[in-house]
Every structure is written in structure tokens, then in C-alpha cells.
Amino acid sequence: MSAPVVLVVEHEDGTGPAMVGERLTEAGLRLDLRRPWRGDPLPTGLDEHDALLVLGGSMGPYEDERAPWLPRVRELLRQAVARDLPTLGICLGMELLTAACGGKVGHAAHPEVGLVELTLLQEASADPLFANLSDRLHAVQWHWEETETLPEGAVPLVTSDRCTHQAYRLGGRVWGVQFHPEVLAPDIAQWGRADDTPVRELGLDPDEVLRTVEAAEPTLRADWGRLTERWARVVTSPTPQGP
């Protein structure tokens, strides 16, 4: 039997699947990585894929002129939700999921950059990805926009002090996460160089942000590697699975 195929949408250079991609490959999944920013075509449907992974990017979910492939991505996300196809939207991917399914995304009053503590909500205790994760969860954040209003039927799972909607689930097998489970220190080093000015405008030092992520890297690998492995099991299971 052939390996399940995950359609992976990358929006710009330096924002690949990173650790999440490594863990999915180790779990036996095959990644069909599409880079529309450099001309890769996106499919019109998902019949040839077993799952969908939509990554982050510096553009907003409504910036179709800057990233003309975004309408196609939103349509693929709507199809995935309609079919309850295993889906994970990360940062911009979550924002696109929100926009595609009738929610609202806006500019964050308090953008989050660097390592941030997360709080699991009650609904997370029965979620296939988030149940029984660490008591003190931290994740890397890098966003100036966020979900303001959830799509109808979304189950909120995770929050933080500055961002109400850090993760939610639609149906049984579609998730959006505002944080970055895929990135580690090398990614943050690159992002810090690219976003030096906007990060400093938030009163943060990119070098200190990097040092904080480096110190937390073992825990980040453990927690978000575990979540990724759980999502891989969802992809390979014919029906929704419990935690």
C-alpha cells in the first residue's frame, strides 16, 4: 500500500514545513510540497491527496494581489472542511482557514513574537491532538494578524494572554494553530534578520528572542513533535481518533 500523501502549501522562501515535515516523513507520510510563490501549480481539488498542510507567511489572508494563489488555497481549505479531510493550518494557514470558513481575521492589537506560554482550554482535554500535552506549554509565535471571530462550529482549544484564538478544530480532523509548531532556532534566526525593524518596533531584541527559543528547543521538539505524530496518526486513520 502506498504512503498517504500530504499536500503542503508553502507561501514564501524560509517558511517550509521544517520539524513538522521531518516528523511526518518519519511517520511514513509522503509530502507533496507546492511552492506557488515560485510558480508551482496548486491542484483544483484534493482527490489525489490524503491530507492538507498549509504553512505560514508574511502576507495576510486577504492579500490576494500580493499572493494571487490565496483564493485557490482558501477553496482547498473549504473542500477539506467539507470532506473532513485531515488538515493543519499553521499561522497564515489558520488565518486562511478562518477566512475561508466564514470567520474573521484582523490586525492583532498585541502582536506576538518569540516564545509565548499557551493555555489549553477545557475542550482540549478530549481533542485528538491536544489532550494530555505538557502542563506548561510554550510555542514560537510570529504574527501581526489573528483570528478575531471563529468560523461557525469551530471548537476553541488553546488561548494565550495576548491572543484569544491560538488553536481550534473544525469537524473531527481539521485544525488551525496560530503558533508555529514547526520552527526551531535556525528558522527564528532567519526570521529575526528579515523582520529586524518590525520586531524592534515591538520593543523586542531579535537576538534575545533567538536565545529564548534556543533555550526552549528541547521542550519544543518534544511537545510539538508529539502533536505532529498525533496528526500523522489522524492522517493514516480512516475515521476520527480520540486522544
Side-chain angles (χ1 to χ4, degrees), residues 172-217:
R173 304 197 290 177
V174 175
W175 285 268
V177 298
Q178 186 64 67
F179 56 90
H180 284 277
E182 81 282 20
V183 302
L184 296 169
D187 309 285
I188 292 306
Q190 180 179 349
W191 294 1
R193 289 190 295 270
D195 289 341
D196 183 88
T197 297
V199 170
R200 292 186 186 279
E201 288 174 349
L202 297 176
L204 299 172
D205 179 351
D207 292 332
E208 180 58 29
V209 170
L210 175 59
R211 285 192 290 270
T212 304
V213 173
E214 285 177 332
E217 195 164 285

Side-chain angles (χ1 to χ4, degrees), residues 221-232:
R221 284 184 180 276
D223 288 337
W224 305 122
R226 184 180 180 192
L227 180 138
T228 302
E229 290 162 3
R230 289 179 172 188
W231 190 70

Side-chain angles (χ1 to χ4, degrees), residues 82-158:
R83 295 170 51 176
D84 204 27
L85 187 81
T87 297
L88 180 61
I90 294 175
C91 198
L92 173 61
M94 170 173 161
E95 296 162 10
L96 287 164
L97 177 65
T98 298
C101 296
K104 181 181 178 182
V105 177
H107 294 293
H110 304 286
E112 293 178 309
V113 169
L115 199 67
V116 172
E117 185 173 359
L118 304 179
T119 299
L120 296 179
L121 301 174
Q122 182 177 354
E123 292 85 349
S125 63
D127 184 76
L129 300 193
F130 287 95
N132 302 315
L133 287 180
S134 302
D135 292 335
R136 287 180 57 82
L137 275 178
H138 291 80
V140 176
Q141 307 278 355
W142 209 275
H143 69 98
W144 279 256
E145 299 195 33
E146 63 188 26
T147 293
E148 294 180 351
T149 305
L150 292 175
E152 184 176 356
V155 178
L157 300 169
V158 183

